[in-house]
Amino acid sequence: MAAGLRTVILLSFVLAVGFLLIILSCALWANWLPLLVALTFVLAPLPNAVFSHLASDEFASYENSGPVDLGRFTTSLIVITGFALPIVLAHSGIIDSKASAMSIVGGGLVYGTILAYSAAFNQSESEYD
Amino acid sequence: MSLPRADYDPRRVCHNPCPNVTLGKHRRTVGVYLAGALFALANWTFLDAAVLSAHAKSKWEDEPPVHVTFVDWIPGICSLLGYLVINMIDKDRVRGEEGFGDSRAVWRARLVLFIGFALMAGGLAGSVTVLILKYILMGYPPQFTYYGYANVSQSVALMLSAVVLWIAQNTSNEYEYNLTL
């Protein structure tokens, strides 16, 4: 349990650093469009969670392919969207390229935190992920 | 082709190769994730061109010679429709295995699948057409022909994504079938 507590503290610290980077990338250039990245990465694990719950109720050998695949597809779509959005915005000069890099790193930290959290505390049903 | 002789029917125009590769369960997961990533990359490549074109006016003082208009969106829309059609087909019906009702259903499933592939190929051809007719023949500088190249790469990446998704789903079906037997 002590290791779990340390993990929680470390993960919350990393999450705070990620949000700090994203908000800083918005506030330093007074352009709040990179905040969409935070929203995207927070939304990213949602389809996987929803659809894996939906599939595990059915008889798992045959019927679980469709919804789980849809959830994985949507998750991957949202993650790539989170990485691509700041690059696109920076490419057309809407936001600064440094703001783009900062928001990408921050979003990666946020999403990595969510992934690490669900990997560390979901070991009972990790067979279905 | 090392297909068994019984699969060959000379009356069929299109033969749907459903590869019976047995990969692990993680390969299927990776395939689905990869398909989603390719799908997102495809659409963001084109959206990049569209956003770039929409914001090109403020960067240069004079009006830029060409913009991304609705003509550029049409191939992408065709490819997306084809993508939806292809992935909504039940793969077992296309394969035409026995015990699935009448044979007309198999025929209709193959027709719909053909329409889906035709839409995707039409999207690719249309994007190449737009690239050549609208951008290359007019002799625009490279930052404007980029719009056309982004259009082509959107269609290509959508096709790749469809292929990856198709292979991933087919492999896993066979795998789980063996598992349950």
Side-chain angles (χ1 to χ4, degrees):
Chain A
M1 274 304 122
L5 188 63
R6 212 176 302 148
T7 313
V8 165
I9 293 173
L10 179 70
L11 284 182
S12 62
F13 187 71
V14 173
L15 187 73
V17 169
F19 274 113
L20 171 75
L21 273 176
I22 291 179
I23 291 176
L24 213 57
S25 76
C26 301
L28 280 184
W29 285 270
N31 187 346
W32 291 85
L33 271 174
L35 208 57
L36 285 174
V37 175
L39 182 68
T40 312
F41 276 113
V42 166
L43 281 183
L46 196 63
N48 249 352
V50 169
F51 284 113
S52 67
H53 265 286
L54 197 145
S56 60
D57 291 340
E58 309 287 330
F59 32 100
S61 62
Y62 182 66
E63 280 292 335
N64 73 343
S65 58
V68 173
D69 280 353
L70 181 61
R72 282 175 181 149
F73 189 86
T74 318
T75 299
S76 159
L77 186 87
I78 295 176
V79 169
I80 297 296
T81 298
F83 282 116
L85 184 64
I87 297 177
V88 167
L89 288 181
H91 188 200
S92 53
I94 302 174
I95 64 173
D96 199 89
S97 61
K98 289 193 285 292
S100 148
M102 280 170 70
S103 65
I104 285 176
V105 171
L109 283 180
V110 169
Y111 187 59
T113 307
I114 295 172
L115 277 191
Y117 194 90
S118 55
F121 296 102
N122 251 0
Q123 279 163 356
S124 60
E125 43 183 28
S126 66
E127 293 291 321
Y128 297 101
D129 281 343
Chain B
M1 296 289 282
S2 62
L3 285 172
R5 195 65 184 165
D7 277 358
Y8 179 68
D9 186 358
R11 289 167 300 174
R12 284 182 60 178
V13 177
C14 304
H15 188 81
N16 310 110
C18 295
N20 288 329
V21 197
T22 44
L23 299 173
K25 201 165 188 173
H26 290 288
R27 296 285 183 86
R28 175 206 177 91
T29 310
V30 167
V32 172
Y33 277 131
L34 188 65
L38 275 173
F39 184 81
L41 270 184
N43 292 310
W44 277 107
T45 311
F46 178 66
L47 283 180
D48 180 41
V51 173
L52 200 62
S53 160
H55 283 262
K57 198 192 287 181
S58 61
K59 213 184 283 180
W60 293 288
E61 296 307 318
D62 48 348
E63 182 75 13
V66 68
H67 273 299
V68 170
T69 52
F70 185 66
V71 177
D72 300 75
W73 287 78
I74 291 173
I77 292 172
C78 278
S79 288
L80 277 178
L81 282 179
Y83 195 93
L84 277 182
V85 168
I86 287 173
N87 285 304
M88 279 180 176
I89 297 266
D90 193 357
K91 305 290 188 296
D92 292 331
R93 276 182 200 268
V94 176
R95 209 175 292 151
E97 282 164 357
E98 298 302 318
F100 254 119
D102 53 343
S103 61
R104 306 284 296 172
V106 176
W107 184 82
R108 263 180 277 138
R110 281 179 189 147
L111 178 68
V112 174
L113 187 74
F114 174 75
I115 291 174
F117 277 121
L119 272 173
M120 292 206 78
L124 182 61
S127 67
V128 174
T129 310
V130 167
L131 167 68
I132 293 176
L133 286 185
K134 192 178 170 186
Y135 295 102
I136 287 187
L137 283 186
M138 295 297 174
Y140 289 127
Q143 75 251 33
F144 299 116
T145 49
Y146 168 72
Y147 302 158
Y149 286 119
N151 212 337
V152 173
S153 56
Q154 179 199 19
S155 294
V156 170
L158 274 180
M159 284 189 112
L160 277 181
S161 168
V163 166
V164 168
L165 197 57
W166 181 276
I167 290 176
Q169 287 185 328
N170 271 320
T171 55
S172 144
N173 277 348
E174 197 66 24
Y175 174 74
E176 288 181 3
Y177 189 59
N178 289 340
L179 197 70
T180 48
L181 273 182

